[in-house]
Amino acid sequence: MSGRPDATVVVAVYNTMPYLTECLNSLVGQSIGLDRMEIVAVDDGSTDGSSAELDRFAERYPGTVKVIHQANSGGPAAPSNRALDVATGRFVYFIGSDDYLGEEALERMVAYADEHGSDVVVGKMVGTNGRYVHQKLYKKNDPDVSLYRSSLPFTLANTKLFRRSLIEEHRLRFPEDLPVGSDQPFTIEACVRARKISVLSDYTFYYAVKRGDASNITYRANHLARLRCTTAIMKHTASLVEAGPDRDALFKRHFTWELAKLVQDDFPALDAATRREVCEGIAALADEYLTDELRDSLDVKRRVRICLAQAGAVDELIRAVTEEAEHGAPPFHLEDGRAFALYPGFRDEDLGLPDSCYELVGESVPGRLAQGTELLAAEWDQTGEDLHLVLTARTGVLGDTGSLTARLAKGAMPKSADKAGARRLSAEQEPPVLAGEFTRTVADDGRATVVRGRIPVHATKSKLGVRLYVDVAGSTYEIPVTTGGRPLPLARRWRQAVPYRVSANRNPKGRLVITTAPLWEIKPGAGKRLRHMLSRLKRKVSR
């Protein structure tokens, strides 16, 4: 390679065979060409053959692949810094040594950066082997995306293209005392100081691999190590971005991701001292950075857990985690047009947490309603020519439940409601006309309301979904009744003059559907054909 390369690819390596081979092959096979790139791989004391594999590629691609060997440092920060000290490209790109790139990745990103004057280019990443990668940022190409008004805070890995002059101007380096998350301070500061950040979404640039042995350092770090690293990241970020909406936009990621992960299902199994330290650490960060606006923007599950930790309510936090793991989301308490999740600590005078910690807002409502709804019984009630569906179901709401009804609805639920299992009706959408009689009682376990409805079934040809409707915080929600393993009533014939058949069925999505139709249907035109045949027969007889 002669002259200055367009891109330096930095690869920090520690025991990543056999994934390393695929990573390196994806780099030397880049469409940008070997003459426009250099690869600086730093072996951080590998013991599994990674060192020899790096030397093999360096021998095969002299002038392009440069290998540095050093004693193990305990994380990717030190080898990444060592590579930056020798990088010569106009741009620098970081890749995990167990991941790989799409063939045109570097060529496309460098061209886009040159076209738009970008200091940072984020190319679309996807996960493999079950690796989770946040996708919201990659809806479209955007030459100038805001760090504070986009999903970029949820994509803070250093796997991006950075202009090297930006790195050197601000002496950006990775903190070597952080075993996990050391790329975040680097990435955040680069994005804060960048003149322009661009996103490319029309090509898969980066494939993030989850190793079969889950040996990535992120998965091995314990709660206190992750807490310490998150604290350092947030303090560094606070030194760059003053308090206000922009800082809130960044820290929403840390409260909903890094800190919330410390109080997940494994929290109750920690020893008492560690649980206390975790809560004290979260409390210190919440006291410093959790504004009312940021707190209220969190989903209720994470908000409650953060608030309980902040209040030092370790026992209530353990209950909140274990009860949700065992029984699912808690019921809603409906009151004066508002809805509250009945997690431990709600209106506990000793804790003194505001109701807003427990209040439900936004898109968390449909999924929680669907999760707490189930069919208890269904049967037919026939009196003479009249037929009713007698339905008993429970759903996770308590308090002001006078709006809770069951109705028969025409048409299928939209696909957008499938993931949540329910939907909020817009102001323009009207629920089916209310018909029948209803009673509502609190379930024996105190976690739901049982609604029993006697709903008329009409003699028409129709297929109707059985759904619950309830008003929550000023909106009406529609919840399909799923059958679970409950027995359904047998099909029945009713009416004498024109008999009809009614059946209760489970559709492919497990939802209860009532189908009615005439017992005998005359096909269109059949009557006319019958009259024509009788007329011909009459003429023959008269002859």
Side-chain angles (χ1 to χ4, degrees):
M1 180 179 62
S2 59
R4 184 186 186 191
D6 284 319
T8 297
V9 182
V10 171
V11 194
V13 180
Y14 177 71
N15 286 358
T16 52
M17 288 295 289
Y19 305 96
L20 176 61
T21 302
E22 184 172 19
C23 172
L24 295 174
N25 280 329
S26 78
L27 297 181
V28 297
Q30 285 293 298
S31 62
I32 197 171
L34 297 177
D35 59 333
R36 294 179 59 194
M37 64 179 290
E38 68 175 357
I39 301 166
V40 180
V42 180
D43 172 36
D44 199 42
S46 294
T47 60
D48 71 336
S50 295
S51 178
E53 184 72 343
L54 290 174
D55 289 340
R56 184 174 75 85
F57 271 81
E59 182 178 355
R60 185 174 180 182
Y61 300 97
T64 298
V65 179
K66 303 176 182 179
V67 176
I68 300 171
H69 298 281
Q70 65 179 32
N72 181 254
S73 66
S80 297
N81 287 339
R82 184 84 181 274
L84 284 176
D85 290 340
V86 301
T88 63
R90 291 191 301 123
F91 297 93
V92 176
Y93 191 85
F94 298 91
I95 182 174
S97 59
D98 40 11
D99 302 331
Y100 58 96
L101 298 185
E103 184 178 355
E104 301 173 16
L106 292 177
E107 183 178 19
R108 285 171 175 257
M109 284 188 286
V110 168
Y112 204 74
D114 285 338
E115 178 183 359
H116 296 284
S118 314
D119 284 334
V120 180
V121 177
V122 188
K124 180 180 178 180
M125 298 177 61
V126 299
T128 68
N129 294 348
R131 176 87 173 264
Y132 174 78
V133 175
H134 198 271
Q135 292 295 305
K136 194 172 180 180
L137 183 67
Y138 307 122
K139 290 183 176 180
K140 64 176 182 177
N141 290 355
D142 191 337
D144 192 3
V145 68
S146 168
L147 173 62
Y148 312 109
R149 283 163 288 282
S150 73
S151 296
L152 185 54
F154 288 87
T155 312
L156 292 179
N158 64 338
T159 48
K160 300 169 176 57
L161 188 77
F162 298 90
R163 191 176 294 275
R164 194 165 68 86
S165 60
L166 173 76
I167 294 173
E168 297 309 321
E169 178 185 354
H170 298 286
R171 294 301 299 165
L172 301 181
R173 292 296 188 270
F174 298 88
E176 297 184 13
D177 60 338
L178 299 186
V180 293
S182 61
D183 52 349
Q184 281 200 37
F186 179 97
T187 303
I188 290 170
E189 184 164 0
C191 290
V192 167
R193 300 192 183 283
R195 294 167 300 172
K196 185 179 289 187
I197 305 167
S198 300
V199 173
L200 277 170
S201 304
D202 58 354
Y203 180 79
T204 301
F205 293 80
Y206 194 103
Y207 294 85
V209 178
K210 183 176 182 180
R211 300 184 212 167
D213 59 1
S215 59
N216 310 58
I217 190 170
T218 301
Y219 301 121
R220 302 197 309 269
N222 64 34
H223 283 68
L224 295 181
R226 286 184 279 144
L227 174 62
R228 180 176 68 82
C229 293
T230 302
T231 299
I233 291 167
M234 294 179 73
K235 287 184 176 179
H236 180 70
T237 302
S239 73
L240 299 170
V241 183
E242 65 182 16
D246 287 352
R247 185 193 286 181
D248 283 356
L250 279 171
F251 282 165
K252 182 171 183 179
R253 179 245 163 80
H254 297 95
F255 280 105
T256 61
W257 196 250
E258 282 82 1
L259 294 180
K261 280 191 170 184
L262 299 177
V263 287
Q264 293 191 126
D265 290 352
D266 56 356
F267 176 79
L270 301 175
D271 62 82
T274 301
R275 292 197 299 258
R276 185 177 63 255
E277 284 190 64
V278 167
C279 287
E280 289 172 352
I282 292 175
L285 294 172
D287 290 345
E288 185 74 20
Y289 304 124
L290 187 63
T291 63
D292 290 347
E293 293 78 12
L294 176 52
R295 179 197 65 202
D296 294 346
S297 73
L298 304 179
D299 66 274
V300 70
K301 175 179 176 177
R302 292 180 174 89
R303 189 189 328 133
V304 167
R305 295 186 183 188
I306 294 293
C307 288
L308 288 174
Q310 185 180 13
V314 180
D315 291 340
E316 288 79 2
L317 177 56
I318 292 171
R319 282 176 49 213
V321 174
T322 55
E323 288 178 5
E324 186 155 12
E326 293 173 2
H327 305 294
F332 298 173
H333 174 71
L334 307 182
E335 180 182 298
D336 297 331
R338 300 169 71 188
F340 307 94
L342 291 180
Y343 285 104
F346 178 64
R347 292 182 179 170
D348 185 324
E349 293 183 0
D350 292 334
L351 290 181
L353 292 176
D355 282 359
S356 57
C357 287
Y358 295 82
E359 188 163 8
L360 282 119
V361 292
E363 296 183 1
S364 63
V365 174
R368 287 174 167 264
L369 285 172
Q371 185 182 20
T373 299
E374 62 176 321
L375 174 70
L376 299 180
E379 59 184 358
W380 308 122
D381 180 13
Q382 184 175 351
T383 305
E385 297 284 279
D386 296 328
L387 181 70
H388 290 79
L389 169 67
V390 178
L391 178 85
T392 307
R394 61 176 277 156
T395 191
V397 295
L398 296 167
D400 298 339
T401 60
S403 65
L404 177 60
T405 58
R407 312 188 193 193
L408 304 181
K410 293 181 180 179
M413 292 283 286
K415 289 185 178 180
S416 58
D418 285 348
K419 184 176 181 180
R423 65 167 175 163
R424 182 179 68 86
L425 299 183
S426 67
E428 295 76 29
Q429 292 171 316
E430 290 287 339
V433 174
L434 178 62
E437 304 165 354
F438 299 92
T439 60
R440 304 163 191 86
T441 56
V442 177
D444 291 342
D445 61 7
R447 294 180 57 86
T449 292
V450 174
V451 58
R452 186 175 189 273
R454 187 171 180 272
I455 308 166
V457 178
H458 300 292
T460 60
K461 185 178 180 180
S462 62
K463 182 179 287 188
L464 304 171
V466 181
R467 298 171 196 165
L468 301 187
Y469 295 83
V470 63
D471 294 340
V472 177
S475 296
T476 299
Y477 289 86
E478 182 179 43
I479 317 157
V481 175
T482 52
T483 62
R486 298 288 181 181
L488 301 179
L490 298 176
R492 171 175 297 203
R493 166 182 167 167
W494 99 102
R495 298 176 68 89
Q496 295 299 319
V498 181
Y500 273 73
R501 182 179 185 274
V502 61
S503 62
N505 303 292
R506 181 184 297 108
N507 76 4
K509 295 178 181 178
R511 298 166 181 171
L512 179 57
V513 174
I514 304 301
T515 303
T516 57
L519 193 58
W520 301 296
E521 293 189 74
I522 299 177
K523 295 182 180 180
K528 184 177 181 180
R529 290 195 298 272
L530 179 59
R531 289 193 298 271
H532 180 67
M533 290 174 61
L534 291 174
S535 177
R536 291 180 60 191
L537 180 61
K538 185 178 180 179
R539 287 197 299 271
K540 287 182 179 180
V541 171
S542 64
R543 291 175 188 160

